[in-house]
Amino acid sequence: MKALKFTFILVLMAIASLRAQTNQNSILGAWESDEKDVRMEFFKDGNEYKGKLLWGNQIVEADGKTSKKDVKNPDKNLRARNIIGIVSLNGLKWDDGEYTDGKIYDPPSGKTYNCKAWIEKDKLHLRGYLGFSMLGKTVVWHRYATAN
């Protein structure tokens, strides 16, 4: 029984140390999904965090460079804009170790989802969902070194 309590305490300490390594600006910078199919730059605007699309295999033409247009956008006035460079993630707010209350727009579908994010072991976890967080999908990201 003592070994079980000790193991439980070690697990709690490990979880606490993961949170302690994350500060509210840890999300800033360029990230790439672990699937290497999308890149986004996170930045702070006032008291919220936003994400701008840098590249994605579903948002570029066959040449891998030319941006597709935002043809599925519900706003007809935005359908002629390039997808690359749009701010597709808005409203994330830092709240006790995670980013909450965000909205993420998915250009290939034209749909917008609620989202939240957190960082564990230098990996960004971004969860998009409708209604309840349990009913969603998490994408894991790693830092992306941009060419300067």
Side-chain angles (χ1 to χ4, degrees):
M1 189 62 154
K2 286 183 182 181
L4 183 60
K5 286 181 182 179
F6 180 72
T7 303
F8 181 71
I9 290 170
L10 284 178
V11 169
L12 287 177
M13 287 172 54
I15 291 170
S17 72
L18 287 175
R19 280 194 174 213
Q21 295 171 1
T22 302
N23 68 55
Q24 63 185 4
N25 291 326
S26 294
I27 197 170
L28 299 178
W31 295 82
E32 179 179 57
S33 72
D34 280 359
E35 298 293 323
K36 297 186 178 189
D37 59 354
V38 64
R39 292 182 205 124
M40 187 177 284
E41 180 179 5
F42 290 84
F43 61 97
K44 190 169 185 180
D45 184 13
N47 66 345
E48 71 180 59
Y49 295 86
K50 297 181 177 186
K52 176 174 69 170
L53 285 170
L54 300 175
W55 180 88
N57 67 356
Q58 292 185 25
I59 62 172
V60 293
E61 298 293 348
D63 67 5
K65 297 176 183 176
T66 306
S67 180
K68 289 183 177 180
K69 302 295 182 188
D70 197 7
V71 296
K72 294 199 176 174
N73 195 304
D75 183 342
K76 292 179 183 178
N77 295 324
L78 298 177
R79 292 182 182 168
R81 71 178 176 169
N82 288 330
I83 295 173
I84 291 178
I86 67 169
V87 176
S88 65
L89 190 150
N90 292 284
L92 282 178
K93 295 193 176 53
W94 177 254
D95 183 19
D96 193 29
E98 70 178 6
Y99 307 88
T100 61
D101 298 329
K103 298 281 184 192
I104 187 163
Y105 170 64
D106 176 44
S109 70
K111 295 181 180 175
T112 299
Y113 301 93
N114 296 321
C115 70
K116 67 180 187 175
W118 63 96
I119 297 174
E120 287 180 12
K121 296 183 181 178
D122 297 325
K123 293 283 189 164
L124 171 65
H125 299 258
L126 181 63
R127 183 159 186 83
Y129 57 94
L130 288 172
F132 300 100
S133 177
M134 293 185 321
L135 306 172
K137 178 182 176 182
T138 301
V139 176
V140 180
W141 305 66
H142 56 269
R143 292 252 176 222
Y144 183 75
T146 56
N148 291 331

